[in-house]
Amino acid sequence: MAKTALITGITGQDGSYLAEFLLSKGYNVYGLIRRSSTETTGRIQHLVDEGRIQLIGGDIIDHLSLIQAIQKSGADEVYNLASMSYVKASWEHPVATADYTGISVTKMLEAIRTVNPKVKFYQASSSEMFGKVQETPQSEKTPFYPRSPYGIAKLFGHWTTVNYRESYNMFACSGILFNHESPRRGMEFVTRKIAYNVAKIKLGLSDSFSLGNMDAKRDWGFAGDYVKAMWLMLQQDKPEDYVIGTGETHSVREFVETAFNHVGIKDWQNHVKVDKKHLRPAEVELLMADPAKAKGQLGWQPATSFKELVAMMVDSDIGQLKNEGFNNRH
């Protein structure tokens, strides 16, 4: 019999890739979507139009709507991907971030416990919980030191998940995912900003753009690879937490250089300006995963290299810009 999954945050980058992946595994897929959402369903519209997924109205901070969504979907697995996911904005909206990224996890776990404690639960934890890193690379045993309201809220959700697992014997686990990108990444994220602006410069639509900390280093992988790890965690005999990343680190500068090289522009320094307005109040300088546990226990490996990821994102934006230009002419 086909399994059923409920995905919160299904309209986001990870939610859309996870929905496609679970459908390929024969799942019935439900997505929780805010009733008053101004968010576009663009990333999943093709699945909605084809009738392959079903959307349920609700809100991750409304406990009753979560209970109803679990009842209505009859979910065997819940993937909790919804949160305020933009780190910089968490400084502007710290209280809302605490509610949507932290407290909401407790509400979802309580809803599962109320409806059916046997439902398997995946929590989207984040490498931002490591923040001011205490060791490099970061594994499941590395102490946390979050450096933003987002990282703090994610840590609350992470420890809540551990607590429900240990207190109520629930199958609840967290994936501590390092930065994962794709052509579906929101424009507010630095990787998409770089890819989009390099595409514009290549097409002669722009000449320059500005960035903040060019020396920040991240462990960047492809979101499409990472959703498989989420699924694998819920297929194990017992629930555990896993660090998911490539084990490689690259600076923002390297991302920029790789993107420009991909389109054959060598003098990239002439096109990029550093602007202090893009800097965070407290910067996270270096994040690098140690995914040995995931590789050993889940058999998970990232399939997309850093260069392939950058190329994929730039090519996608070039295609999109060309398409927009073509449509504007007709």
Side-chain angles (χ1 to χ4, degrees), residues 239-290:
E240 293 184 38
D241 304 325
Y242 296 86
V243 161
I244 304 297
T246 67
E248 289 180 17
T249 187
H250 300 273
S251 66
V252 173
R253 182 177 283 100
E254 228 178 310
F255 199 107
V256 171
E257 195 173 355
T258 305
F260 274 111
N261 281 342
H262 178 65
V263 296
I265 297 172
K266 300 297 178 205
D267 62 340
W268 64 267
Q269 291 93 337
N270 298 338
H271 302 283
V272 182
K273 299 177 175 69
V274 173
D275 189 332
K276 286 185 176 146
K277 76 176 183 192
H278 298 305
L279 298 175
R280 298 178 189 175
E283 187 57 71
V284 174
E285 293 294 343
L286 168 67
L287 292 172
M288 181 175 161
D290 174 3

Side-chain angles (χ1 to χ4, degrees), residues 54-262:
Q54 296 184 63
L55 300 179
I56 300 173
D59 198 307
I60 55 168
I61 61 168
D62 176 10
H63 183 56
L64 185 59
S65 74
L66 297 181
I67 288 174
Q68 290 168 342
I70 293 162
Q71 287 173 330
K72 190 171 181 181
S73 62
D76 302 295
E77 299 173 356
V78 171
Y79 294 85
N80 190 41
L81 311 184
S83 74
M84 290 181 69
S85 62
Y86 184 40
V87 176
K88 189 165 181 281
S90 76
W91 292 101
E92 294 152 25
H93 309 288
V95 177
T97 299
D99 284 342
Y100 277 94
T101 306
I103 304 294
S104 62
V105 182
T106 313
K107 292 184 178 181
M108 179 58 91
L109 283 162
E110 271 299 295
I112 290 171
R113 202 164 74 89
T114 302
V115 178
N116 178 8
K118 289 190 168 55
V119 170
K120 292 185 172 185
F121 176 75
Y122 171 85
Q123 167 60 14
S125 286
S126 166
S127 58
E128 288 288 329
M129 302 186 310
F130 294 120
K132 189 175 180 180
V133 298
Q134 303 300 291
E135 63 181 14
T136 298
Q138 295 90 51
S139 74
E140 295 79 7
K141 294 185 171 67
T142 303
F144 298 116
Y145 194 140
R147 294 268 281 173
S148 65
Y150 172 79
I152 293 163
K154 277 291 185 188
L155 191 52
F156 180 94
H158 179 80
W159 280 118
T160 301
T161 303
V162 171
N163 211 255
Y164 271 69
R165 176 169 75 220
E166 294 177 353
S167 303
Y168 301 116
N169 201 28
M170 291 169 67
F171 197 110
C173 60
S174 290
I176 306 170
L177 269 59
F178 280 64
N179 295 61
H180 45 290
E181 317 298 318
S182 76
R184 299 179 191 176
R185 197 47 143 160
M187 207 63 81
E188 68 272 24
F189 290 87
V190 68
T191 51
R192 182 69 194 286
K193 183 181 178 181
I194 294 166
Y196 182 73
N197 280 287
V198 169
K200 280 177 77 176
I201 290 166
K202 175 63 179 173
L203 296 174
L205 301 171
S206 169
D207 187 55
S208 67
F209 62 101
S210 63
L211 292 170
N213 184 2
M214 298 276 281
D215 297 316
K217 292 181 174 178
R218 294 291 182 272
D219 184 327
W220 277 303
F222 172 49
D225 294 341
Y226 286 38
V227 297
K228 183 180 182 182
M230 300 176 187
W231 173 75
L232 283 167
M233 287 179 214
L234 296 196
Q235 311 316 308
Q236 303 307 301
D237 292 335
K238 60 178 185 155
E240 293 184 38
D241 304 325
Y242 296 86
V243 161
I244 304 297
T246 67
E248 289 180 17
T249 187
H250 300 273
S251 66
V252 173
R253 182 177 283 100
E254 228 178 310
F255 199 107
V256 171
E257 195 173 355
T258 305
F260 274 111
N261 281 342
H262 178 65

Side-chain angles (χ1 to χ4, degrees), residues 17-88:
Y17 281 113
L18 180 61
E20 289 169 347
F21 178 81
L22 293 176
L23 287 168
S24 77
K25 293 284 180 190
Y27 276 65
N28 300 312
V29 176
Y30 288 81
L32 186 78
I33 186 165
R34 278 207 307 271
R35 291 190 186 95
S36 58
S37 183
T38 52
E39 271 186 76
T40 171
T41 54
R43 295 182 183 95
I44 55 166
Q45 196 57 52
H46 59 297
L47 302 177
V48 175
D49 293 344
E50 293 162 10
R52 298 178 69 201
I53 60 173
Q54 296 184 63
L55 300 179
I56 300 173
D59 198 307
I60 55 168
I61 61 168
D62 176 10
H63 183 56
L64 185 59
S65 74
L66 297 181
I67 288 174
Q68 290 168 342
I70 293 162
Q71 287 173 330
K72 190 171 181 181
S73 62
D76 302 295
E77 299 173 356
V78 171
Y79 294 85
N80 190 41
L81 311 184
S83 74
M84 290 181 69
S85 62
Y86 184 40
V87 176
K88 189 165 181 281

